[in-house]
Amino acid sequence: ALSKLAMRVCATARCAVRVMGAAAEEHGFYGAEPIAAEAGEALTVADGDEAWMFHVLPDDTGLSAVWAAKRVPDDAISVCANAFVVRGVENGDDEYLSQNAVAVAERAGVARYDEEGRLDFAASFGPRPDNKNYPYSVRRVWRVMSLFAPSAIGRSLAATAPDYLGSELPFAVRVESPLDLVDDIFRFQRDHYEGTKFDLTKGLAAGPWGDPTRFDPAAADSPSAVDDVRDQLAPSHDRLGQGRFERAISMFRTSYSIAVQSKNGTALAWFAPGAPHASLYSPVFVDARDVPRPLGRGSLFQ
């Protein structure tokens, strides 16, 4: 709803993040699911001139919202993978913070600040220090940055073992060389950590054909655990959190992926249904009134 509102009333990304933030602050915000891990949302917002990272989550009253937005430098990329990445932030020319953010964080006892005294948004409202599943998000941030900026980020194992917030990784990193849509952007979206120590096409789990598919463990009380195996899962419930496969950029349960080219006067979205590594990207004009039926209607069961 927030993104649709912004698209109706704004012509720029800067306007969009401010409108979405103000609307959430005034009317409240409700996450995808009523659990802490799904309470917040992150949106990347771009026009032909600027790109922004936008974060939002409910406040502690349930009647308003906390939000932050930060502009990505023109020659850089920023990566968000199921976790907040905006760190120290305050209201300024290229960053915004909701007026209630500090008060909400202080009341909840989660307020954290950077060395300059600014509210650290990700540390305050993001994953907790006891989160053992942080590689699920942080590893993908590292992977994308290492592909766009191999010299600055590096591909060593040491660079892939950051803390639960990925503190060793910057909010944004400068792209080191020109990028090709097909050879780089599409390829990155199809990545399984190929060529790294986390390569999902290698090892026993990949089988003889290098299959990168890895299924998530399902706890005994999870909706993913169907009735006829629920009793079998129960004894192993406590062991499910002790190990897990890497979460690749492209995976079997990806619903769709897009690559957007945004320039003044035109915008083109390359759309691929399903998992990127097993799909094709088709161009769609963003201002099109309709799309071909195969792109607009379908079923994952067919």
Side-chain angles (χ1 to χ4, degrees):
L2 289 178
S3 56
K4 290 181 179 180
L5 171 64
M7 291 176 66
R8 288 182 65 89
V9 302
C10 290
T12 66
R14 184 181 294 266
C15 168
V17 298
R18 298 183 68 172
V19 165
M20 291 190 297
E25 209 170 337
E26 180 177 354
H27 301 289
F29 176 81
Y30 303 93
E33 296 181 35
I35 57 176
E38 298 289 345
E41 187 61 80
L43 298 175
T44 50
V45 188
D47 57 33
D49 296 314
E50 296 182 351
W52 288 74
M53 185 70 71
F54 175 81
H55 295 340
V56 62
L57 72 157
D59 76 343
D60 54 344
T61 70
L63 302 176
S64 184
V66 176
W67 65 278
K70 194 165 187 174
R71 183 183 175 188
V72 180
D74 291 340
D75 60 351
I77 57 107
S78 185
V79 186
C80 185
N82 296 102
F84 293 149
V85 294
V86 171
R87 303 300 300 269
V89 61
E90 61 186 1
N91 280 302
D93 292 339
D94 290 327
E95 55 186 53
Y96 301 121
L97 179 67
S98 60
Q99 297 294 334
N100 61 348
V102 172
V104 171
E106 290 287 354
R107 285 199 304 267
V110 297
R112 301 292 184 272
Y113 301 89
D114 67 6
E115 295 178 353
E116 300 177 17
R118 301 176 301 176
L119 184 72
D120 188 326
F121 197 90
S124 298
F125 299 112
R128 298 296 88 198
D130 60 353
N131 173 34
K132 298 180 180 179
N133 197 28
Y134 68 86
Y136 184 91
S137 298
V138 174
R139 193 92 74 205
R140 279 178 290 156
V141 175
W142 162 79
R143 177 56 170 165
V144 175
M145 287 188 170
S146 74
L147 291 170
F148 280 91
S151 298
I153 301 302
R155 301 186 182 184
S156 67
L157 180 61
T160 65
D163 65 14
Y164 71 102
L165 291 172
S167 298
E168 293 84 350
L169 299 171
F171 164 70
V173 64
R174 188 178 68 84
V175 177
E176 294 180 359
S177 61
L179 299 172
D180 181 81
L181 181 68
V182 176
D183 292 340
D184 295 313
I185 304 301
F186 292 171
R187 177 170 61 87
F188 295 169
Q189 299 245 57
R190 293 169 169 146
D191 186 77
H192 302 105
Y193 298 107
E194 284 88 349
T196 74
K197 292 181 179 292
F198 310 103
D199 192 337
L200 293 174
T201 67
K202 306 294 184 181
L204 290 175
W209 313 117
D211 186 356
T213 301
R214 302 291 187 276
F215 296 103
D216 303 319
D221 57 353
S222 168
S224 300
V226 294
D227 292 337
D228 59 347
V229 299
R230 199 176 301 275
D231 293 339
Q232 300 177 39
L233 285 170
S236 62
H237 177 81
D238 293 337
R239 298 196 301 273
L240 289 173
Q242 297 179 10
R244 53 182 56 85
F245 290 114
E246 295 293 338
R247 164 50 158 110
I249 296 170
S250 179
M251 65 183 309
F252 70 93
R253 58 180 171 82
T254 302
S255 298
Y256 66 90
S257 63
I258 58 172
V260 178
Q261 294 175 295
S262 181
K263 298 180 181 180
N264 287 326
T266 183
L268 192 65
W270 292 81
F271 173 79
H277 66 273
S279 186
L280 297 174
Y281 284 91
S282 300
V284 179
F285 285 102
V286 173
D287 58 355
R289 293 183 178 273
D290 199 3
V291 297
R293 183 179 178 85
L295 294 181
R297 299 167 182 83
S299 170
L300 292 176
F301 298 98
Q302 297 179 353

